[in-house]
């Protein structure tokens, strides 16, 4: 459960760590998708219907089994950052103190608004996340994650993006989440949305207990592209026939891998990049939300607002 930070350690090869993180995420995603498939087969008799009817895009091609879709999570599928919704739930359950909540909120706010990875902020957030989950059982966090999804995430899914994912599923294709959030959290969300599975940051565990270390690095930026590449090779996919969806310019490496890249609720840099390359664009925000491109919903979360403000003020005093 250690995907709050996105800092590449300074003394290791970024490329090597990205590949390691990507391959670990792909392996975990394939395992989780098999479990999800078994669960769906058992629950087939009680399948539910959803009252959503977004316009179906021109793509995908029905019956193309060598194609798949890869969706970023934060601000693409869900409003705000999954890890901070999860953090709210852990804070409510007294997993950590308000001071740590403020540190997480500040690191996320800086990264999203400034668009850069400040080494001190990212290292601090990652170390804090690892310390919180260290010693906890994976099964414990998975169980809590199910509750937190219902409390904070279920009502934040973008119907439009959900419709795009469903179009791929209806065409007989697999649909994967690709996110820097912990693979366990991402897998819960994928299951709830009826998707194939999830690629996420893999935290090391021994005998079902978190060690406080990561496998490789957080699944962010280039590591996402490595994860998609590894999964495509394992699944026999043709990336030229696949689609990828994201809101962030940090995911340009992943979007550039596929033949059908989509910019969803894009930040300023991704919007420009997408227009320059004639990529498809969808914006499901309206009014003020759409105007504030690049400012995350996570930064305004009620439970985090106080912590964020305190952290920003503290940062300004120090600088």
């Amino acid at each position: 459960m250690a995907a709050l930070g996105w800092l590449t350690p300074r003394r290791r090869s970024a490329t090597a760590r990205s590949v390691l993180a990507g391959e670990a995420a792909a392996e975990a995603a394939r395992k989780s998708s098999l479990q999800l498939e078994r669960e769906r087969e058992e629950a087939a008799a009680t399948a539910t219907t959803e009252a959503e009817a977004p316009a179906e895009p021109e793509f995908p091609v029905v019956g193309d089994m060598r194609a798949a879709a890869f969706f970023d999570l934060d601000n693409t599928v869900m409003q705000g950052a999954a890890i901070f919704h999860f953090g709210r739930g852990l804070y409510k359950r007294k997993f950590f103190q308000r001071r740590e909540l403020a540190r997480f909120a500040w690191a996320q706010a800086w990264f999203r608004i400034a668009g850069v990875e400040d080494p001190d902020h990212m290292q601090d957030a990652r170390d804090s996340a690892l310390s919180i989950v260290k010693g906890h059982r994976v099964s414990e966090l998975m169980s809590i994650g199910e509750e937190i999804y219902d409390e904070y995430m279920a009502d934040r899914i973008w119907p439009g993006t959900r419709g795009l994912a469903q179009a791929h599923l209806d065409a007989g294709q697999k649909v994967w989440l690709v996110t820097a959030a912990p693979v366990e959290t991402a897998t819960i969300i994928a299951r709830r949305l009826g998707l194939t599975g999830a690629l996420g940051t893999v935290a090391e565990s021994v005998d079902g207990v978190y060690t406080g270390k990561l496998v490789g690095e957080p699944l962010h930026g280039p590591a996402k592209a490595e994860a998609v590449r590894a999964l495509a090779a394992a699944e026999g996919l043709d990336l030229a026939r696949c689609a990828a969806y994201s809101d962030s310019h940090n995911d340009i490496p992943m979007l550039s891998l596929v033949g059908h890249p989509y910019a969803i609720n894009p930040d300023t840099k991704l919007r420009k990049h997408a227009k320059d390359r004639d990529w498809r664009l969808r914006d499901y925000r309206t009014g003020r939300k759409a105007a504030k491109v690049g400012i995350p919903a996570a930064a305004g979360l009620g439970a985090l607002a106080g912590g964020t403000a305190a952290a920003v003020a503290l940062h300004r005093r120090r600088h």
Side-chain angles (χ1 to χ4, degrees):
M1 306 300 301
L4 288 180
W6 293 277
L7 174 66
T8 302
R10 307 169 200 171
R11 298 184 181 179
R12 297 282 301 275
S13 166
T15 299
R17 293 182 66 81
S18 293
V19 171
L20 178 59
E23 290 178 347
E27 181 181 358
R30 296 194 77 205
K31 291 180 180 178
S32 66
S33 71
L34 291 175
Q35 177 62 30
L36 293 180
E37 185 175 352
R38 286 193 292 270
E39 291 177 2
R40 291 191 189 104
E41 290 175 351
E42 295 172 358
T46 58
T48 59
T49 59
E50 296 185 20
E52 298 177 355
E56 184 172 334
E58 301 173 6
F59 182 80
V61 178
V62 176
D64 186 355
M65 304 306 293
R66 294 198 65 201
F70 302 94
F71 283 79
D72 168 57
L73 178 58
D74 297 348
N75 294 317
T76 301
V77 171
M78 180 178 3
Q79 300 176 48
I83 193 62
F84 279 89
H85 296 317
F86 189 71
R88 292 173 69 188
L90 293 183
Y91 175 70
K92 176 181 177 181
R93 291 163 174 79
K94 303 186 184 303
F95 266 66
F96 54 89
Q97 303 301 312
R98 181 175 294 276
R99 179 171 52 191
E100 292 170 300
L101 187 68
R103 291 162 68 190
F104 296 158
W106 165 239
Q108 174 73 356
W110 173 271
F111 170 70
R112 282 300 212 167
I113 297 174
V116 295
E117 295 180 348
D118 181 276
D120 293 333
H121 299 157
M122 293 300 104
Q123 184 72 56
D124 183 53
R126 191 183 77 166
D127 290 347
S128 297
L130 290 170
S131 66
I132 286 173
V133 301
K134 182 178 180 181
H136 286 281
R137 299 197 65 82
V138 176
S139 58
E140 175 191 10
L141 271 295
M142 287 291 287
S143 178
I144 291 173
E146 296 283 355
E147 299 172 3
I148 292 174
Y149 178 86
D150 291 327
E151 292 172 4
Y152 298 113
M153 302 180 188
D155 293 336
R156 295 180 177 272
I157 303 300
W158 290 108
T161 312
R162 178 68 184 86
L164 293 174
Q166 189 61 48
H168 286 278
L169 294 171
D170 291 344
Q173 297 174 5
K174 293 184 176 181
V175 178
W176 305 85
L177 292 180
V178 189
T179 174
V183 66
E184 294 85 0
T185 301
T187 298
I188 290 170
I189 297 170
R191 181 194 303 116
R192 293 301 191 92
L193 296 180
L195 308 184
T196 306
L199 296 145
T201 298
V202 178
E204 181 183 82
S205 62
V206 176
D207 297 327
V209 177
Y210 289 113
T211 66
K213 299 178 181 179
L214 292 183
V215 178
E217 66 181 10
L219 200 70
H220 175 258
K224 280 190 179 182
E226 294 297 336
V228 169
R229 184 180 287 111
L231 184 62
E235 294 275 311
L237 301 174
D238 181 354
L239 287 172
R241 291 146 70 174
C242 292
Y245 302 78
S246 179
D247 73 300
S248 173
H249 68 279
N250 294 296
D251 287 338
I252 288 175
M254 177 181 74
L255 295 170
S256 299
L257 272 183
V258 301
H260 301 273
Y262 281 76
I264 304 294
N265 305 328
D267 62 27
T268 302
K269 291 182 180 179
L270 179 58
R271 183 180 293 273
K272 182 179 185 304
H273 189 90
K275 287 184 175 180
D276 289 345
R277 286 155 182 77
D278 199 28
W279 288 358
R280 294 171 180 172
L281 187 149
R282 300 283 190 278
D283 200 327
Y284 300 116
R285 300 163 297 185
T286 58
R288 188 169 59 89
K289 288 183 180 179
K292 293 188 175 182
V293 173
I295 299 180
L301 294 176
L304 296 179
T308 301
V312 171
L314 177 60
H315 175 80
R316 287 175 175 171
R317 290 198 296 270
R318 289 177 174 175
H319 293 75

